[in-house]
Amino acid sequence: MGQQKMDAKVTEQKQEGHRKPITLLDQAVQLPLKERIKALPPEKRWPLTAGLTAVSLNSAMVGLICNSYFRRMCMLRGKGIILSMLPLVGACGVTSQAVWQVSIVNPLVSGKLLGCPLCAELRGGLVNFSLGALYPLILAAPINGAMAVMYRTIEVPLFSKKATPQEFLQFWVKKLRYFKVQFATIAIFQTLIGMYLAGKQFEVITLLQKPTEKRIETQT
C-alpha cells in the first residue's frame, strides 16, 4: 500500500510538471470563452491572441526610436548602446502589455466597464498613447541623460551640475524641439492603433458572448 501511494504521488508530480504555464490570456479569459476563441478562424481571433504581443512590440519599437533620438541629442554615438536600449525596450514592452491586459482585455471579458465600442476605443487610444508614445519619451530622457553624464559627453542639469527644476525642464524642452513633428506622428499613430485594436477586441468578445446569451434566454 505504501509503495502504491508513493507511485501515485510521483505520477501526480510528473503530471503537474508537464502542465503548461498560465498565460495572461488564460488568466483573463475563462475556459469556455477560451475554447470559443480557439474555435474562431485565425482572421477573426487575432485581436485577442496576438493583440497583447502587438501592443508590446509597438511600444518597444517607439522606445527604440526615442532612445535613438536622445542618444544623438546627448552626443553618445556608439557609447553604451546596450545599457540605454535594454531598459527602454524591456520596460516599455512589459508595461504596455500588462496595462493593456488590465485596463482593456479584462474589462472586455468581464463586461462590467466597457459596454460600448466607443468606450473601448477611447480607452484603447488613451492607453496606447500614454504607454506607447508618451511613456517611452519620458523614460528615454533620464536614461540617456545619465549616460551622457557617465561618459561626459554633455552637461545635464541636476545630473552633472547644480540647477533648478526649471532649468532642468528648459534643458529637455530645448532638446525636444527638433523632435516635435516625429513625436506628433508617433502619438497619432499609436492612438489610432490603440483605438483600432480595442475596437476589434470588443467585436470579438461581443461575438463570443452572443451564443451564451442565447442559451440563457432559451433556458429561461
Side-chain angles (χ1 to χ4, degrees):
M1 292 293 291
Q3 184 65 29
Q4 291 179 355
K5 290 182 179 179
M6 290 292 293
D7 294 340
K9 288 182 179 180
V10 171
T11 305
E12 290 178 359
Q13 291 176 357
K14 288 182 178 180
Q15 290 177 353
E16 291 177 358
H18 289 295
R19 290 176 184 172
K20 294 181 179 180
I22 298 175
T23 62
L24 290 172
L25 184 62
D26 294 330
Q27 295 174 0
V29 183
Q30 296 178 356
L31 184 60
L33 186 59
K34 188 174 71 172
E35 290 178 353
R36 293 198 296 272
I37 291 174
K38 292 181 179 179
L40 289 174
E43 62 271 13
K44 289 187 177 180
R45 69 169 183 257
W46 70 264
L48 286 177
T49 55
L52 289 175
T53 304
V55 169
S56 178
L57 292 177
N58 210 16
S59 180
M61 186 63 66
V62 175
L64 289 176
I65 295 172
C66 294
N67 182 59
S68 176
Y69 169 77
F70 277 104
R71 286 185 61 82
R72 292 196 302 270
M73 292 298 101
C74 294
M75 302 178 67
L76 288 170
R77 298 179 182 177
K79 300 176 181 178
I81 296 177
I82 303 298
L83 289 177
S84 62
M85 182 177 64
L86 287 181
L88 273 171
V89 173
C92 293
V94 172
T95 305
S96 298
Q97 185 176 8
V99 174
W100 187 275
Q101 176 76 31
V102 173
S103 60
I104 305 296
V105 177
N106 289 356
L108 283 175
V109 173
S110 63
K112 295 179 180 179
L113 297 177
L114 300 178
C116 65
L118 181 60
C119 299
E121 290 174 359
L122 290 177
R123 182 178 288 193
L126 180 61
V127 169
N128 213 37
F129 165 76
S130 302
L131 296 174
L134 195 60
Y135 179 64
L137 183 73
I138 295 174
L139 192 61
I143 290 177
N144 286 281
M147 297 288 294
V149 173
M150 184 173 68
Y151 289 104
R152 298 179 181 179
T153 55
I154 62 171
E155 290 188 353
V156 182
L158 292 181
F159 285 9
S160 58
K161 61 180 181 179
K162 293 183 179 180
T164 62
Q166 185 177 2
E167 292 175 344
F168 177 77
L169 184 61
Q170 289 177 353
F171 172 83
W172 289 113
V173 169
K174 289 180 181 179
K175 293 294 182 183
L176 287 171
R177 69 179 183 271
Y178 301 109
F179 195 55
K180 289 180 181 178
V181 177
Q182 294 90 331
F183 179 74
T185 305
I186 291 171
I188 294 172
F189 176 77
Q190 291 290 72
T191 303
L192 294 177
I193 287 294
M195 294 178 67
Y196 175 78
L197 181 59
K200 285 295 182 181
Q201 288 181 341
F202 180 86
E203 291 179 4
V204 175
I205 294 295
T206 305
L207 179 66
L208 293 173
Q209 288 176 345
K210 282 182 179 179
T212 304
E213 293 173 357
K214 289 181 180 179
R215 285 198 299 269
I216 293 174
E217 290 177 0
T218 55
Q219 289 176 1
T220 55

